[in-house]
Amino acid sequence: MRNVLVTLVAVSILVLGPAVESASAQNARALLQAADSAVGASKVNSIVYTGTGRISYLGQNFTTADDLPRVDMKNWSQTIDYGSKSAKEEMVRVQGNNSPRGGGAGFPITGEQRSTTLVSGNYAWNLNAQGQPQAQNDQAEMRQFMIWVTPHGFIKAALADPNATVTDREFIGAGRTLHVAGFTTMGKYRATGEFNAQNLLERVVTWIPNPVMGDMQVEIRYTDWRDIGNGIKAPFHTHMHQGDHPLVRGMNYMDVQASDVKANVESASLTVPDAVRTAAAPRVNIQTTKLADGVWLIAGGSHNSLAVEFKDFAAIIEAPLDDARSNAVIAETKRLIPGKQIRYVVNTHHHWDHAGGLRTAYAEGATIVTNEMNKNFYERVMLVPQPRSLSPDRLSQFPFATTGPGPGKLETYRERHAITDGDQSIISYHVEGFNHAGDMAMVYLPKSKILISADMGPPAAGTPVADVSPNSVALYNNVKRLKLDVSQHVPIHGNPSSNSDFERTVGPAAARARPASPEAP
Ligand SMILES: [Zn+2]
């Protein structure tokens, strides 16, 4: 009897065993194995794509409603070594015939702009112009994840997830049904991939963390699949969007056409430089300088903020980067101006490096002052208190009711906005005739004659006329147009400088850039 029982138990385990893997998991496995045989993904240990194309500057569009500013890539290559989780992407960017409107480091490009970005496991770095490694270890997780949404990486990562799923999705109108596989990797990143009737991966949709967008959508389309030998196929055309949102528009990020794709190349893995291995983790650094009565510069990072004291409240000018920076700026403002509520945060423009901390100031209860062009995007996309799964921030962790009456106010303007208590004032002026951002403000403090500007210089004193940027000339022209009495310039990037230096350096460049008057001979 006992033996019979043991046998029965054993038999039921045998019968039930395979059923432990659900029908859906079996379907997913079957699809992924078919996809693997179709393109030889598990035979690909490393791969190198070489080609040309175009790439955009994320979060640097001219207005929130515009597509991202783009440049051409005259050379592009991507080397991936799956086993060591390493990847190297190299590109040479040129302006080409692309519009100069919009922002981004070094945009619009004069000559060539080179970039090399690398990841190996938990280490990431860039190469600077001298070819020296610059640690970017806080980027390692994201760069590693991007390996798992490449054409072969997707299949490898999905096969490695026992909970991968598949479902059929009918594209009404297109008359097609695609198999949609979904997987989770690295503990939290999710991706879905659409496979066609030939089991080729046509499109990947995924999410990456971003201070402005939250869980930010990334869409990658793979087409032009070709045989590259040894039963391996690779897509020669890749088209990528980043930051698409139903309330905004499609944001073109990258488009590359490969001229050559090679699998299983020699020495695709990377050696992590010692300087990267031992680099200290980046930390939020705050350095405060008093500029005038009731006005402090909060520097110490790549972007400055200012704290301004009023009779009954405090205000912050600029909340850049992200939640961590913004929390530190808020804490410093409270230390400098104790016992007064931070009632306003004044934003120079919508570019993500300048707006990435606005949510945090908003959660603090500050009213955001910005150009009316930004209202739709700020209210309906950037400032929503809904959860963010990949990188929760203060507003998503401590949401407030969107029905009010709590925090959550925007004050917008077209030309000019003033905050004043009759003594101290902060005046935002719209900057005209400026290619960098259509909503750009310069911010004037009449009491101390301080002018705050973002991404407009001012250049170092004595910069040759030919090297003065059009951005600084735009600043000069707008100061003259508004007849502002300025004594000190305080840029969001860099150090304060005097107006007399500004006049001496930018004045001649502005005179040269001015179109000749029609009456002139
Ligand atoms: Zn900008």
Side-chain angles (χ1 to χ4, degrees):
M1 187 62 201
R2 190 164 185 272
N3 280 347
V4 171
L5 196 62
V6 168
T7 312
L8 274 175
V9 169
V11 166
S12 26
I13 285 169
L14 279 176
V15 171
L16 292 172
V20 166
E21 188 171 58
S22 66
S24 122
Q26 280 177 35
N27 289 343
R29 188 148 298 273
L31 168 72
L32 292 165
Q33 280 162 356
D36 188 6
S37 348
V39 302
S42 50
K43 284 185 267 187
V44 181
N45 301 317
S46 65
I47 196 158
V48 182
Y49 294 84
T50 313
T52 56
R54 58 172 201 259
I55 191 160
S56 304
Y57 294 81
L58 189 65
Q60 299 289 333
N61 41 7
F62 182 65
T63 72
T64 57
D66 283 292
D67 198 359
L68 303 174
R70 64 171 66 152
V71 295
D72 291 345
M73 291 190 286
K74 58 180 272 194
N75 292 303
W76 167 81
S77 78
Q78 187 186 28
T79 305
I80 299 159
D81 184 64
Y82 292 102
S84 63
K85 298 172 186 167
S86 67
K88 174 182 182 177
E89 187 175 37
E90 294 177 281
M91 60 183 79
V92 178
R93 298 185 282 249
V94 294
Q95 188 62 30
N97 292 322
N98 302 292
S99 163
R101 292 213 309 183
F107 179 91
I109 298 171
T110 330
E112 294 184 346
Q113 194 181 65
R114 280 162 195 278
S115 133
T116 307
T117 54
L118 309 98
V119 61
S120 181
N122 297 324
Y123 298 99
W125 65 103
N126 295 351
L127 296 185
N128 67 10
Q130 289 72 43
Q132 298 302 310
Q134 310 291 303
Q136 300 269 312
N137 292 330
D138 55 340
Q139 299 296 311
E141 186 176 289
M142 190 44 47
R143 290 183 192 171
Q144 192 189 127
F145 170 64
M146 293 308 283
I147 294 175
W148 306 123
V149 290
T150 59
H152 305 101
F154 185 98
I155 296 168
K156 288 171 186 285
L159 279 169
D161 178 6
N163 298 313
T165 56
V166 65
T167 176
D168 282 352
R169 187 177 287 167
E170 190 183 347
F171 286 74
I172 315 274
R176 313 176 69 202
T177 298
L178 296 174
H179 308 299
V180 183
F183 70 89
T184 304
T185 189
M186 297 167 67
K188 65 174 179 179
Y189 294 98
R190 289 168 293 126
T192 57
E194 295 167 1
F195 291 85
N196 64 20
Q198 291 74 47
N199 298 312
L200 298 177
L201 180 59
E202 288 194 350
R203 178 158 70 167
V204 176
V205 178
T206 188
W207 308 92
I208 61 176
N210 178 273
V212 168
M213 300 300 290
D215 293 352
M216 179 173 77
Q217 192 164 83
V218 176
E219 176 186 333
I220 314 170
R221 290 175 221 160
Y222 295 122
T223 48
D224 193 10
W225 284 86
R226 299 186 203 170
D227 279 310
I228 59 166
N230 299 317
I232 298 169
K233 279 192 175 70
F236 275 57
H237 185 239
T238 299
H239 182 79
M240 189 189 300
H241 283 204
Q242 287 199 9
D244 288 358
H245 192 286
L247 298 178
V248 193
R249 53 160 293 155
M251 292 288 178
N252 287 284
Y253 180 68
M254 189 178 188
D255 190 282
V256 287
Q257 180 66 46
S259 49
D260 189 39
V261 184
K262 282 193 176 66
N264 300 328
V265 294
E266 294 282 309
S267 59
S269 68
L270 301 169
T271 306
V272 180
D274 282 345
V276 173
R277 207 175 275 281
T278 58
R283 50 184 287 276
V284 178
N285 186 32
I286 293 285
Q287 270 172 23
T288 298
T289 314
K290 187 169 185 179
L291 296 175
D293 260 0
V295 183
W296 293 267
L297 176 65
I298 303 176
S302 57
H303 295 62
N304 302 328
S305 298
L306 288 92
V308 181
E309 181 167 16
F310 289 80
K311 270 193 208 92
D312 303 321
F313 58 90
I316 291 174
I317 300 169
E318 206 78 322
L321 299 174
D322 55 22
D323 195 48
R325 180 81 199 166
S326 213
N327 275 320
V329 168
I330 288 167
E332 180 66 357
T333 302
K334 287 179 167 175
R335 189 187 71 80
L336 296 164
I337 308 170
K340 292 185 184 175
Q341 198 208 331
I342 300 168
R343 193 175 290 174
Y344 293 98
V345 58
V346 176
N347 168 228
T348 61
H349 65 307
H350 73 283
H351 287 167
W352 292 2
D353 57 322
H354 292 262
L358 285 176
R359 282 174 59 85
T360 312
Y362 198 59
E364 172 71 21
T367 292
I368 296 175
V369 176
T370 193
N371 192 282
E372 67 177 18
M373 284 181 207
N374 300 330
K375 187 176 166 63
N376 190 48
F377 180 77
Y378 281 21
E379 284 184 342
R380 302 179 75 195
V381 180
M382 185 171 78
L383 297 171
V384 297
Q386 272 70 15
R388 298 178 156 205
S389 69
L390 296 170
S391 184
D393 64 0
R394 186 164 155 187
L395 183 55
S396 68
Q397 287 171 305
F398 304 98
F400 52 78
T402 43
T403 53
K409 289 196 201 69
L410 225 57
E411 281 185 16
T412 62
Y413 60 92
R414 188 184 298 244
E415 297 298 336
R416 181 183 184 276
H417 178 278
I419 301 167
T420 186
D421 62 6
D423 177 39
Q424 186 69 270
S425 304
I426 298 177
I427 306 180
S428 303
Y429 290 103
H430 176 241
V431 173
E432 289 182 2
F434 190 40
N435 266 339
H436 182 88
D439 61 312
M440 182 63 85
M442 52 187 200
V443 182
Y444 183 55
L445 309 182
K447 188 181 173 192
S448 49
K449 300 183 180 174
I450 287 172
L451 184 67
I452 297 116
S453 62
D455 301 344
M456 307 181 85
T463 298
V465 173
D467 296 344
V468 173
S469 79
N471 293 13
S472 294
V473 170
L475 177 60
Y476 185 93
N477 290 341
N478 278 278
V479 170
K480 297 297 167 192
R481 173 177 69 85
L482 295 162
K483 301 183 171 68
L484 300 183
D485 180 9
V486 178
S487 68
Q488 192 178 24
H489 287 263
V490 178
I492 296 299
H493 303 286
N495 300 315
S497 55
S498 74
N499 190 59
S500 46
D501 279 347
F502 182 71
E503 283 286 347
R504 264 195 302 276
T505 308
V506 185
R512 208 167 82 161
R514 211 166 291 138
S517 86
E519 297 88 51

